[in-house]
């Protein structure tokens, strides 16, 4: 089956946005670094390890929902064309792909489009999926959906595969601030048409006794994952961070309903970021925010999606009600 690849990003996209993000984040007060830079090779491996930790329930909970409910979800959406934002390894998506293949009559074509910023993730996933699902039409698009959502979702003229089911899994929407989320949902609503639908995986608010260990595990894998972002800045921008100067912090911010990961300087620290011609000081005890991971209630999601012009069309949780998969229509 045809395997098409499109690239919407300039060659230097990653270098340029990393530089901009690091300069903006390290010169602001309080200092911040965006979570998207966690995922170099080492960081992606550490994240995979996180998904296998006993404390990190979101991965297993979402997989439980998708495995048990994929047929129902695809039936409710009524789409033959899956479009995944931030597809990564596309691993959990297989349950949905299989449900779409089963629901597609022989004279129609099931399709899957993976959208990610990472070229290597896209290529590996496409290669794997094309071998596993020979009848599936596959497309991969390298794009940054925070900026180029319309281009990433655009269909070619003459393409009448019917409704698209856009999926955004893993709870990654929690990495956005409420303002970013509002912009994202508005942009998404703007490009979806009647017959399309949006499937979201979102983590749910629960006791801090469950939430905090999920982001501060006993084995220290999340700490290593958080600290690794300093190595990313070192290797890609010629900085001289010493990870031993920082410690991992995870706190539950009840007011904002999000987990915040931070790196705290354990002593006064002076850092040079050679490629940016930038010098930065941290005072002992100073904390830099590296990630928010927002947690939701059903009511909150309904409010935000309705504000953006969506209607609620489906809601599924795991048996322990820890995580949600929800369907929204324009
Ligand atoms: C991949 C963004 C869903 O927020 O739970 C895991 C990333 N950070 N442990 C999350 C993460 C710390 C994860 N997401």
């Amino acid at each position: 089956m045809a395997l098409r690849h499109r690239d919407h990003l300039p060659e230097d996209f990653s270098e340029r946005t990393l530089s901009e993000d690091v300069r903006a984040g390290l010169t602001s007060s309080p200092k911040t670094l965006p979570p998207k830079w966690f995922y170099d090779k080492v960081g992606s491996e550490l994240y995979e390890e996180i998904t296998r930790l006993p404390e990190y329930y979101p991965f297993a909970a979402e997989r439980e929902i998708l495995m048990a409910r994929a047929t129902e979800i695809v039936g409710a959406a009524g789409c033959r064309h899956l479009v995944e934002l931030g597809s990564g390894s596309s691993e959990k998506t297989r349950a949905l792909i299989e449900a779409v293949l089963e629901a597609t009559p022989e004279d129609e074509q099931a399709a899957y489009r993976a959208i990610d910023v990472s070229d290597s993730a896209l290529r590996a996933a496409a290669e794997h999926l094309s071998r596993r699902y020979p009848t599936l039409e596959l497309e991969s698009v390298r794009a940054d959906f925070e900026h180029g959502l319309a281009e990433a979702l655009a269909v070619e003229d003459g393409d009448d595969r019917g409704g698209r089911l856009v999926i955004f899994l893993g709870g990654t929407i929690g990495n956005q601030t409420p303002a970013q989320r509002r912009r994202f949902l508005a942009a998404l609503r703007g490009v979806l048409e009647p017959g399309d639908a949006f499937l979201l995986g979102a983590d749910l608010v629960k006791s801090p006794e469950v939430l905090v260990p999920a982001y501060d595990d006993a084995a220290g894998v999340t700490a290593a994952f958080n600290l690794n972002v300093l190595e990313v800045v070192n290797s890609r921008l010629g900085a001289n961070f010493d990870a031993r100067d920082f410690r991992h912090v995870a706190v539950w911010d009840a007011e904002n309903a999000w987990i915040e990961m931070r790196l705290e300087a354990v002593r006064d620290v002076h850092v040079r970021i050679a490629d940016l011609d930038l010098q930065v000081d941290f005072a002992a005890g100073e904390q830099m925010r590296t990630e928010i991971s927002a947690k939701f209630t059903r009511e909150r999601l309904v409010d935000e999606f309705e504000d953006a012009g969506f209607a609620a069309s489906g809601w599924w949780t795991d048996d322990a009600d820890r995580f949600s998969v929800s369907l929204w229509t324009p």
Side-chain angles (χ1 to χ4, degrees), residues 182 185-186 189 298-313 327-330:
R182 206 170 312 115
L185 292 182
R189 177 64 190 81
R298 184 176 186 169
E299 297 68 34
R300 172 108 184 252
L301 285 172
V302 168
D303 278 353
E304 292 192 8
F305 274 85
E306 285 183 350
D307 280 351
F310 287 90
S313 308
L327 186 67
W328 310 89
T329 45

Side-chain angles (χ1 to χ4, degrees), residues 38-39 47 50 56 58 169-172 174-175 214-215 222 225 261 291-293 295:
F38 281 139
Y39 302 91
Y47 176 64
I50 288 174
Y56 190 76
L169 299 177
T172 305
N175 282 171
Y215 292 83
T222 309
F225 173 74
M261 295 213 311
E291 180 176 57
I292 61 169
S293 191
K295 309 304 171 189

Side-chain angles (χ1 to χ4, degrees), residues 43-317:
S44 300
E45 282 164 10
L46 286 167
Y47 176 64
E48 290 230 340
E49 215 178 304
I50 288 174
T51 64
R52 295 192 291 268
L53 292 169
E55 297 97 329
Y56 190 76
Y57 64 86
F59 187 88
E62 186 182 54
R63 188 175 48 198
E64 179 192 321
I65 301 167
L66 293 174
M67 297 294 219
R69 310 296 200 112
T71 305
E72 206 182 304
I73 290 168
V74 165
C79 306
R80 305 280 167 268
H81 188 180
L82 287 178
V83 176
E84 180 163 26
L85 304 177
S87 46
S89 68
S90 301
E91 204 222 86
K92 277 185 286 193
T93 319
R94 282 181 222 157
L96 293 170
I97 291 175
E98 286 168 19
V100 164
L101 284 169
E102 262 170 51
T104 304
E106 251 182 69
D107 56 340
E108 283 179 36
Q109 179 64 55
Y112 171 70
R113 175 187 296 184
I115 303 173
D116 206 288
V117 284
S118 161
D119 212 45
S120 53
L122 283 174
R123 281 175 202 283
E127 207 175 292
H128 176 90
L129 293 174
S130 67
R131 259 184 284 115
R132 198 173 172 119
Y133 306 111
T135 60
L136 183 70
E137 183 173 314
L138 271 172
E139 263 184 304
S140 61
V141 178
R142 183 168 168 261
D144 180 19
F145 58 82
E146 279 168 35
H147 302 109
L149 192 64
E151 294 89 326
L153 295 189
V155 290
E156 271 162 42
D157 283 349
D159 180 341
D160 58 351
R161 276 195 223 89
R164 294 165 298 176
L165 176 60
V166 178
I167 61 184
F168 190 29
L169 299 177
T172 305
I173 195 162
N175 282 171
Q176 298 177 346
T177 63
Q180 288 170 331
R181 207 158 59 230
R182 206 170 312 115
R183 280 197 295 275
F184 169 72
L185 292 182
L188 182 68
R189 177 64 190 81
V191 294
L192 293 189
E193 289 164 17
D196 293 340
F198 180 57
L199 189 73
L200 178 73
D203 197 10
L204 299 174
V205 171
K206 59 184 64 64
S207 155
E209 277 141 55
V210 176
L211 283 167
V212 173
Y215 292 83
D216 193 7
D217 60 280
V221 182
T222 309
F225 173 74
N226 194 7
L227 288 161
N228 178 63
V229 77
L230 301 176
E231 305 297 345
V232 172
V233 178
N234 283 352
S235 65
R236 293 192 51 192
L237 296 178
N240 65 345
F241 277 106
D242 184 338
R244 292 167 302 186
D245 290 338
F246 293 85
R247 71 177 192 99
H248 167 66
V249 175
V251 289
W252 169 241
D253 178 336
E255 198 179 319
N256 288 309
W258 66 48
I259 285 280
E260 200 164 307
M261 295 213 311
R262 303 172 185 160
L263 289 171
E264 180 181 301
V266 296
R267 55 187 74 86
D268 289 346
V269 176
H270 180 80
V271 185
R272 283 191 61 236
I273 301 107
D275 296 6
L276 301 183
D277 216 356
L278 181 68
Q279 317 233 5
V280 178
D281 289 299
F282 292 79
E286 184 178 342
Q287 294 184 336
M288 167 167 71
R289 181 168 99 182
T290 51
E291 180 176 57
I292 61 169
S293 191
K295 309 304 171 189
F296 299 89
T297 60
R298 184 176 186 169
E299 297 68 34
R300 172 108 184 252
L301 285 172
V302 168
D303 278 353
E304 292 192 8
F305 274 85
E306 285 183 350
D307 280 351
F310 287 90
S313 308
W315 177 265
W316 298 269
T317 63

